[in-house]
């Protein structure tokens, strides 16, 4: 039971404005020691923050990390997104079942563990993965699980400090001299916990140079560099900055660190491996757009990223790299962290801003664009972590240097997140335009023994699958589009002959239904219909007409959905159907046997994911 | 209201004093809430109860009942002390500043906080600064200003404040009394008052009398002002008033000191009650005349912002009822008049001929235009807000007003303060709302609202029966424990005949306008213990 | 306002910069169907019914997209109609929309849209329906049947932007989205003050008034406008009566000072008009009892007594209370009666009470 006084002091600690709601609830959930936000607590918060109870009910119900019924001291979240699914997430659930005697949505009798499934945790290179409270663990086998559970029985806190070593930034990047390590240059070499090391390595010189220029000149340099957004849409960063409304009003820089695209873990590695580079990039963006405040919206699952960033922010403030009058330029800039609560759609920039304001993460219609009216109605520049971290080096070394690698329309490097049946998985930085063949053969060291390449999902669940025929396609922002696929966030999930495209589709559509915010009709209803029909296909109870119907539905969603989420299912659907028509046709026959589908449709996945 | 409802979005700040707006004028309250919650406008609320509006207020001043004037003086004291008033406005548009300034001198925040029961005098300073900084600032008040024996002074005080701040005669500002009845504005405009003809033309003015004598074709009209309601009831007991003709009112429930009212009604030789149902008052009548309800009528009503609107017949009349004007005409003709009105519109046309502020309105215009009086000619667009450029009397008069305590202060025998009012779901004497199923289901019966500490002191829990007594009477009702009342203050809604709050209220009157002091008297609250054998 | 030129269904027309496509089209007599849009609340853009084609390749919701110079807008063609049908079919698949037993039958915007777009038998739903809350009795005045809800959000915004009680919000997510009134999620236990604004704005039968069911269907009701009799705000109300002449419901009129809004009294406070307690004939007290009388008896008696008292005690022995509930005309006439016929200024009313 959390006392009213506790609620009051937590609200006082963070502030009673609605924008602090997420942080307040997270703290109260932790204090509950049962990972619960009890109705009485929510009522208390509503009263203390002068919010209507419906606002609390709606908020908590939107963010999947929160629950209003008691769970347990430790919540085990097993990832079931495609990279983990194809690596045996079901085995993990079964193993936990054997070790603890619980199934999904159940708690152990001693109140120690509660089991649930979740979408991508950003540990895809060490799939299958799970999180225990805020500790991330990968490469899960039954033996490892046993020792991990023992670790918590012995009293580990689960506050993010107990993450498995295989998930660290340094362990996640692929150490290979052949790559073009720009963003990854410091990781594993420069201690992310000490600002002094970062400055010794040349850190904050980009910012120092920027504040000696005019904001317009900084924008011009970034424009010149041709830097395009690395979050998925590929919008030119300098152009976006130049669209920010001018005037005396408060403006914001927002770093979108709500990395949730299944198969993506680059932003986590960057934040944990080189946090100051991000702060520096944000400060430069702030200077260029006349913003004095920056926010990093980090997904709630990334507790360790948040802790590392917070430490970096504290140090930067002490060191004069954040705060008033930076480097004697008169420019002031500070950065604050906002947390997510478990909602993929909050990676959409307008949903993200609603979430930052303490609202349900519904996307807003555009226009107005964030540069006109963003967070709290003020002009805001929203960029992805990778994009912002590319900025200091551009200021340091110049636009021409940046353009030395990459393609003409997409200069610079791109981070690729390698997962699946490769000999080597992890994060690798290559010039824009690298091919799948190079990525797999050189950096992934080819497929594991016994695996034969079937397809690679590129760009995440919102991307398409590539087969042998597109192995030599230059992967930049524009070229894949012409072939019905997308580079997206740089996911390269490699699947072999054991992966069934229908099973893969079910998992993908399950993801979209689960993550649809439900605001607009086509996405809300369409994702449910797609998921349901895909499952019927997996059950071999559908007909080819259903496949056609799915394509129509996805096409209607593409045309009419409010945000990119509802426009996304068409790409995985179309590329899977196009590449594997025979398997889809086979699944239309009741007597067709498919072990992969049968296994997925087993006990753990029969219940709806909600 | 000096200003208009549609100006709410224009106001930069609101000062709500003596108005439980969300319950008594919910539609206006929602508009103000929207301006405050979504528009970021400022709000100061002063009330003895922590009413809903207090939740949205930047500053909430929980004052003791009957101490408005002290508070207003305190605010003005701070405003003058800090030079926050609109000096140019005061100089060009007002008079009487020096006398006011003199009077305000002693109303320091500390002194005022003591009178008002405020723990922190700085709250008054902060409120004064906030109200002075926001322009235009609109002041809204209701019966929490007027229903005191110092009611008229309360009104003058709010006007003082708004003149000092230069908020009169500007869009989005104003002194805005929220009228509590659908046509109380119109009833006043029409001369339903003892001292004035329609449009407030004094009966004591010979020219006005002459005008009406000619218009009505009567040789002479009485020149001395008549009696107010409460005075007339006293006069009835004294035998000076023998006949009372009541159109659509229910004084047994609505007037203070119920025992006294009933005594007066019983003393009459003739009581004519014209109403839609057999009210508590009609039960004492000699003749009861059944009239149309508003949904059976055609006619005009004037709202709180002086807007005149047409009503249309929605349902067919029941039984053998008649329109009120028809009944009045039938009585008049039996007493020698020769009236021949065939419809309400004919009366309206005669009325506007003698009522300058309505002269430009016709039913036809009212059906398609938004018209607020004054509207002197048919080409006039009506008046959105009053006192633009000049006041009716020329210069605005700042009046020095001193705080005077309520008629009845607490003492050891009656140690608590009783205040009365309405609730959202019911209206006045309940004749309408208590005969509406859903409203009656939501709030089925009477209660007394009492603070948790006060309840603890008399060992009462929520829903238990208490007796509330004053020097005039006693009631038994359910206790409703709530954090809304200020400590030592209880609140009773007056809609319920089975526990009529006006059994308790005092009939002390304002000397000028004779308004009763409903909002404050001394009382005691005791727990009623069930009899042993009942257990 | 600067004027710009756009192409609307092939014709070049002028419109105001900053206008939405919806408003610009309406100004030129082109109606674009809408569902989540309502003029009294802020724009939502969620139902997507008003999607139009812009510059040949893009689809934009007309209610949210501002016009831009040279914009080429097509509001209707076979493909756009197909798109709208697709969205309507989504909604029909999602909810339980059976007009046979729905209060909104005949006044339902979803029904009208389906009819307008020639929706035949909707295709069978490919996803199971998620049954939502049926909360039809916890509130005295409002009924909630969420299986008829299209999640347009008008109720949420009505409460958030007009009434400001902020009772409604969405809960759940994706296909499990539903309405909530708070942690316990019962309307009757929420802070709802039953102003009924959400019902007035609801496009379907998801929210309705308790007073409506069983008392006449939408097309049988007659609406007439009048002014509320409660407080002094003077809200204009459209009163709906059924074929039997019974009052069924009240809706705020957009033309009044209330701008469409009402409070709980204006919504539900009119039973007294048709209450059996209404007086139907005059009454005269005879031997201590009030007994029925004719108008002539009652008026003769009253007038006779008034004349006697005036004659014996003077006009100032007569007093009259006029009424803040009666019309201007009636108040005017009563004071004229007292001053001109009786000859006294003894006229007052409850202005102070």
């Amino acid at each position: 039971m959390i006392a009213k006084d506790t609620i009051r002091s937590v609200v006082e600690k963070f502030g009673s404005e609605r924008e602090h709601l997420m942080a307040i609830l997270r703290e109260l959930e932790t204090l509950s020691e049962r990972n619960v936000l009890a109705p009485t607590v929510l009522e208390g918060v509503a009263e203390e923050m002068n919010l209507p109870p419906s606002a609390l009910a709606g908020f908590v119900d939107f963010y999947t990390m929160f629950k209003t019924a008691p769970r347990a001291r430790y919540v085990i979240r097993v990832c079931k997104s495609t990279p983990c699914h194809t690596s045996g997430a079901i085995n993990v659930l079964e193993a936990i079942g054997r070790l603890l005697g619980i199934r999904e949505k159940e708690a152990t009798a001693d109140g120690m563990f509660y089991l649930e499934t979740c979408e991508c945790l950003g540990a895809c290179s060490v799939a299958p993965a799970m999180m225990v409270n805020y500790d991330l663990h990968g490469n899960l086998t039954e033996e490892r699980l046993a020792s991990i559970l023992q670790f918590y029985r012995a009293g580990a806190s689960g506050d993010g400090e107990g993450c498995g070593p295989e998930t660290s930034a340094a362990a996640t990047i692929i150490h290979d001299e052949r790559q073009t390590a720009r963003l990854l240059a410091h990781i594993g070499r420069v201690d992310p916990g000490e600002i002094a090391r970062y400055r010794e390595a040349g850190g904050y010189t980009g910012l120092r140079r920027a504040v000696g220029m005019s904001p317009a000149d900084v924008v011009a340099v970034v424009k010149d560099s041709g830097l395009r957004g690395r979050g998925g849409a590929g919008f030119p960063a300098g152009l976006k900055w130049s669209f920010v409304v001018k005037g005396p009003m408060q403006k914001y820089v927002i770093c979108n660190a709500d990395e949730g695209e299944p198969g993506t873990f680059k932003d986590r590695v960057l934040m944990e491996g080189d946090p100051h580079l991000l702060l520096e990039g944000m400060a430069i963006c702030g200077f260029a757009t006349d913003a004095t405040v920056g926010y990093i919206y980090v997904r709630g699952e990334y507790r360790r990223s948040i802790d590392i960033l917070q430490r970096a922010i504290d140090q930067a403030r002490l060191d004069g790299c954040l705060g008033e009058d930076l480097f004697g330029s008169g420019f002031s800039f500070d950065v604050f962290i906002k947390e997510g609560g478990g909602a993929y759609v909050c990676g959409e920039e307008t949903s993200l801003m609603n979430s930052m304001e303490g609202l349900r993460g519904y996307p807003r219609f555009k226009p107005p664009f964030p540069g006109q009216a963003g967070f709290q109605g003020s002009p805001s520049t929203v960029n992805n972590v990778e994009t912002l971290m590319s900025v200091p080096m551009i200021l340091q070394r110049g636009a021409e240097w940046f353009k030395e690698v990459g393609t003409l329309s997409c200069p610079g490097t791109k981070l690729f997140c390698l997962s699946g049946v490769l000999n080597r998985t992890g994060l690798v930085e290559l010039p824009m335009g690298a091919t799948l063949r190079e990525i797999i053969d050189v950096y992934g060291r080819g497929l594991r023994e016994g695996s034969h390449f079937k397809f690679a999902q590129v760009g995440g669940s919102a991307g398409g699958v590539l087969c042998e025929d597109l192995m030599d396609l230059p992967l930049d922002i524009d070229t894949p589009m012409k072939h019905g696929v997308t580079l997206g966030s740089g996911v390269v999930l490699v699947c072999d002959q054991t992966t069934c495209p229908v099973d893969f589709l079910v998992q993908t559509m399950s993801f979209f239904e689960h993550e649809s915010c439900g605001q607009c009709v086509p996405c809300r209803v369409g994702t449910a219909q797609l998921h349901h029909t895909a499952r019927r296909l997996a059950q071999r109870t559908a007909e080819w007409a259903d496949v056609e119907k799915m394509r129509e539905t996805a096409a209607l969603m593409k045309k009419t959905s409010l945000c990119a989420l509802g426009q996304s299912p068409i790409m995985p659907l179309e590329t899977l159907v196009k590449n594997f028509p025979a398997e889809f046709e086979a699944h239309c026959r009741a007597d067709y046997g498919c072990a992969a589908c049968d296994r997925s449709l087993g006990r753990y996945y029969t219940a709806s994911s909600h | 209201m000096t200003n208009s409802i549609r100006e709410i979005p224009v106001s930069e700040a609101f000062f709500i004093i003596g108005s439980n707006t969300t319950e008594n004028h919910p539609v206006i309250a929602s508009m103000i809430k929207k301006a405050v919650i979504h528009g970021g406008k400022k709000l100061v609320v002063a009330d003895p109860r922590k009413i809903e509006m207090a939740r949205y207020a930047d500053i909430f001043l929980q004052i003791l009942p009957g101490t408005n004037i002290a508070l207003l003086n305190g605010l003005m004291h701070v405003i003058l002390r800090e030079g926050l008033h609109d000096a140019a406005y005061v100089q060009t548009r007002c008079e009487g500043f020096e006398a006011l300034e003199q009077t305000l001198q002693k109303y320091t925040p500390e002194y005022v906080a003591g009178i008002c029961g405020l723990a922190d005098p700085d709250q008054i300073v902060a409120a004064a600064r906030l109200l002075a900084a926001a322009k235009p600032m609109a002041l809204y008040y209701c019966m929490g200003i007027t229903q005191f024996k110092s009611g008229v002074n309360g009104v003058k005080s709010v006007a003082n404040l708004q003149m000092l701040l230069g908020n009169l005669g500007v869009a989005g500002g104003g002194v805005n009394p929220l009228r509590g009845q659908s046509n109380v504005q119109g009833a006043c405009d029409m001369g339903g008052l003892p001292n004035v003809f329609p449009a407030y033309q004094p009966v004591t003015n010979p020219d006005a009398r002459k005008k009406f004598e000619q218009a009505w074709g009567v040789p002479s009209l009485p020149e001395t002002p008549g009696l107010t309601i409460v005075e007339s009831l006293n006069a009835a007991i004294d035998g000076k008033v023998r006949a009372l003709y009541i159109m659509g009112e229910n004084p047994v429930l609505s007037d203070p000191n119920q025992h006294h009212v009933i005594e007066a009604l019983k003393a009459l030789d003739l009581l004519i009650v014209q109403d839609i149902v057999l009210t508590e008052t009609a039960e004492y009548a000699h003749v009861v005349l059944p009239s149309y309800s508003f949904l059976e009528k055609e006619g005009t009503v004037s709202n709180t912002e002086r807007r005149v609107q047409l009503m249309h017949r929605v349902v067919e009349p029941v039984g053998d009822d008649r329109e009120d004007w028809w009944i009045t005409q039938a009585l008049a003709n039996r007493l020698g008049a020769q009236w021949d009105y065939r419809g309400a519109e004919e009366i309206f046309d005669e009325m506007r001929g003698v009522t300058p502020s309505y002269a430009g309105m016709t039913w036809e215009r009212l059906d398609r235009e938004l018209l607020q009086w004054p509207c002197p000619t048919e080409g006039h667009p009506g008046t959105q807000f009053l006192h633009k450029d000049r006041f009716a009397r020329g210069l605005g008069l700042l009046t020095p007003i001193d705080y005077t305590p309520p008629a009845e202060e607490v003492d050891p025998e009656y140690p608590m303060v009783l205040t009365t009012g309405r609730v959202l779901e019911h209206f006045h004497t309940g004749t309408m709302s208590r005969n509406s199923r859903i409203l009656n289901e939501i709030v089925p019966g009477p209660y007394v609202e009492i603070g948790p500490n006060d309840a603890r002191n008399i060992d009462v829990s929520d829903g238990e029966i208490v007796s509330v007594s004053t020097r005039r009477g006693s009631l038994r009702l359910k206790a409703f424990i709530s954090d809304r009342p200020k400590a030592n203050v209880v609140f009773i809604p007056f809609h319920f005949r089975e526990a009529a709050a006006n059994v308790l209220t005092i009939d002390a009157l304002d000397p000028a306008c004779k308004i009763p002091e409903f909002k404050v008297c001394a009382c005691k609250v005791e727990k009623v213990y069930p009899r042993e054998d009942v257990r | 306002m600067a004027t710009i030129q756009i192409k609307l269904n092939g014709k070049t027309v002028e419109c105001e910069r900053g206008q939405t496509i919806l408003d610009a089209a309406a100004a030129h007599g082109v109606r674009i169907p809408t569902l989540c849009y309502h003029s009294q609340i802020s724009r939502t853009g969620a139902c997507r019914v008003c999607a139009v084609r812009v510059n040949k390749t893009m689809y934009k919701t007309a209610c949210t997209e501002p016009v831009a110079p040279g914009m080429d807008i097509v509001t209707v063609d076979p493909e756009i109609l197909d798109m709208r049908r697709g969205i309507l079919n989504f909604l029909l698949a999602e909810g339980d929309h059976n007009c046979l037993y729905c209060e909104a039958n005949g006044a339902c915007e979803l029904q009208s849209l389906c009819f307008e777009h020639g929706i035949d038998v909707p295709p069978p739903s490919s996803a199971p329906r998620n049954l939502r809350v049926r909360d039809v009795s916890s509130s005295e005045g409002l009924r909630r049947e969420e299986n008829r809800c299209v999640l347009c959000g008008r109720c949420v915004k009505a409460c958030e932007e007009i009434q400001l009680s902020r009772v409604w919000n969405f809960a759940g997510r994706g296909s499990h989205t539903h309405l909530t009134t708070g942690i316990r999620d019962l309307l009757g236990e929420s802070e709802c003050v039953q102003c009924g604004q959400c019902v007035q704005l609801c496009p379907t039968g998801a929210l309705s008034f308790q007073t409506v069911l069983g008392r006449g269907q939408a097309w049988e009701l007659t609406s007439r406008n009048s002014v509320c009799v409660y407080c002094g705000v003077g809200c204009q109300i459209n009163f709906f009566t059924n074929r039997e002449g019974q009052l069924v419901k009240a809706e705020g009129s957009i033309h009044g000072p209330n701008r469409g809004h009402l409070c709980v009294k204006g919504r539900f406070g009119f039973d007294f008009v048709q209450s059996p307690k209404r007086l139907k004939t005059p009454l005269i007290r005879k031997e201590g009892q009030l007994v029925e009388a004719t108008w002539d008896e009652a008026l003769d008696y009253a007038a006779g007594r008034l004349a006697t008292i005036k004659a014996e005690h003077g006009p100032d022995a007569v007093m009259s209370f006029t009424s803040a509930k009666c019309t201007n005309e009636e108040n005017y006439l009563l004071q004229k009666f007292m001053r001109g016929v009786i000859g006294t200024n003894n006229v007052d009313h409850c202005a102070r009470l």
Side-chain angles (χ1 to χ4, degrees), chain A residues 264-319:
Chain A
T264 317
F265 45 87
K266 63 186 178 77
D267 294 342
R268 180 175 69 77
V269 172
L270 289 176
M271 290 187 286
E272 293 176 12
D274 202 1
H276 285 286
L277 186 59
L278 176 58
L279 302 182
E280 187 178 355
M282 290 179 71
I284 295 170
C285 178
F287 178 75
T289 59
D290 188 32
T292 55
V293 176
Y295 288 103
I296 312 174
Y297 182 91
V298 190
R299 62 184 305 206
E301 292 88 341
Y302 283 3
R303 172 58 60 90
R304 184 170 53 185
S305 305
I306 291 167
D307 290 345
I308 290 172
L309 281 168
Q310 189 58 54
R311 181 179 161 88
I313 290 169
D314 294 342
Q315 289 185 357
R317 285 176 185 156
L318 283 175
D319 221 37

Side-chain angles (χ1 to χ4, degrees), chain A residues 330-351:
Chain A
F331 169 64
S332 302
F333 191 78
D334 206 349
V335 173
F336 303 91
I337 296 173
K338 294 266 180 201
E339 295 177 42
Y344 166 76
V345 74
C346 290
E348 200 283 337
E349 59 184 5
T350 58
S351 306

Side-chain angles (χ1 to χ4, degrees), chain A residues 132-459:
Chain A
V132 180
N133 282 359
Y134 295 101
D135 291 352
L136 192 56
H137 299 277
N139 292 331
L140 300 175
T141 59
E142 189 150 354
E143 300 85 77
R144 282 217 47 185
L145 280 167
S147 72
I148 290 168
L149 294 175
Q150 193 48 45
F151 176 59
Y152 293 101
R153 280 221 179 80
S157 72
D159 61 359
E161 303 244 319
C163 293
E166 69 285 356
T167 65
S168 76
T172 306
I173 66 169
I174 290 175
H175 297 275
D176 192 312
E177 292 305 319
R178 287 168 289 184
Q179 67 179 313
T180 314
R182 289 178 169 185
L183 293 165
L184 300 183
H186 292 158
I187 297 177
R189 298 192 178 88
V190 177
D191 182 357
E194 291 302 330
I195 189 170
R197 302 291 90 73
Y198 178 73
R199 297 193 74 164
E200 282 161 19
Y204 288 109
T205 54
L207 173 60
R208 191 186 286 268
R209 180 160 304 165
V211 298
M213 300 161 63
S214 75
D217 288 344
V218 175
V219 173
V221 171
V222 176
K223 264 190 186 168
D224 275 355
S225 75
L227 172 67
R228 293 171 66 176
R230 301 307 201 230
F235 194 81
L239 198 58
K240 186 185 266 187
W241 294 9
S242 71
F243 287 161
V244 174
V245 173
K246 316 269 180 300
M249 71 291 264
Q250 176 67 51
K251 302 177 198 70
Y252 298 105
V253 173
I254 297 169
C255 170
N256 183 346
D258 191 50
E259 181 168 73
E261 189 64 53
T264 317
F265 45 87
K266 63 186 178 77
D267 294 342
R268 180 175 69 77
V269 172
L270 289 176
M271 290 187 286
E272 293 176 12
D274 202 1
H276 285 286
L277 186 59
L278 176 58
L279 302 182
E280 187 178 355
M282 290 179 71
I284 295 170
C285 178
F287 178 75
T289 59
D290 188 32
T292 55
V293 176
Y295 288 103
I296 312 174
Y297 182 91
V298 190
R299 62 184 305 206
E301 292 88 341
Y302 283 3
R303 172 58 60 90
R304 184 170 53 185
S305 305
I306 291 167
D307 290 345
I308 290 172
L309 281 168
Q310 189 58 54
R311 181 179 161 88
I313 290 169
D314 294 342
Q315 289 185 357
R317 285 176 185 156
L318 283 175
D319 221 37
C321 297
L322 287 178
E324 301 287 311
D325 190 20
L326 300 182
F327 308 111
S329 64
F331 169 64
S332 302
F333 191 78
D334 206 349
V335 173
F336 303 91
I337 296 173
K338 294 266 180 201
E339 295 177 42
Y344 166 76
V345 74
C346 290
E348 200 283 337
E349 59 184 5
T350 58
S351 306
L352 182 148
M353 292 184 299
N354 275 340
S355 182
M356 283 172 61
E357 291 177 14
L359 301 166
R360 290 163 62 82
Y362 277 180
R364 306 171 180 173
F365 56 81
K366 293 186 267 192
F369 293 94
Q372 304 165 295
F375 177 58
Q376 308 284 27
S378 299
S380 308
T381 314
V382 188
N383 279 124
N384 172 259
V385 175
E386 190 182 345
T387 316
L388 286 166
M389 285 172 82
S390 300
V391 169
M393 64 177 91
I394 292 171
L395 267 291
Q396 252 172 27
R397 306 191 184 199
E400 289 311 313
W401 170 84
F402 186 77
K403 288 192 280 195
E404 279 170 12
V405 298
T407 61
L408 203 59
S409 69
C410 312
T413 57
K414 176 78 194 87
L415 295 172
F416 291 92
C417 307
L418 275 56
S419 61
V421 290
L422 295 168
N423 282 314
R424 187 163 65 169
T425 56
L427 191 61
V428 64
E429 184 172 15
L430 300 173
M432 277 279 190
T435 66
L436 191 55
R437 191 179 304 281
E438 181 189 4
I439 292 169
I440 292 175
D441 290 352
V442 177
Y443 299 98
R445 286 185 180 152
L447 270 63
R448 290 177 199 160
E449 199 174 337
S451 283
H452 306 291
F453 179 82
K454 187 165 186 178
F455 64 83
Q457 188 186 40
V458 176

Side-chain angles (χ1 to χ4, degrees), chain A residues 499-510:
Chain A
T499 300
C500 166
V502 171
D503 180 44
F504 194 87
L505 182 71
V506 174
Q507 298 318 313
T508 305
M509 294 305 161
S510 155

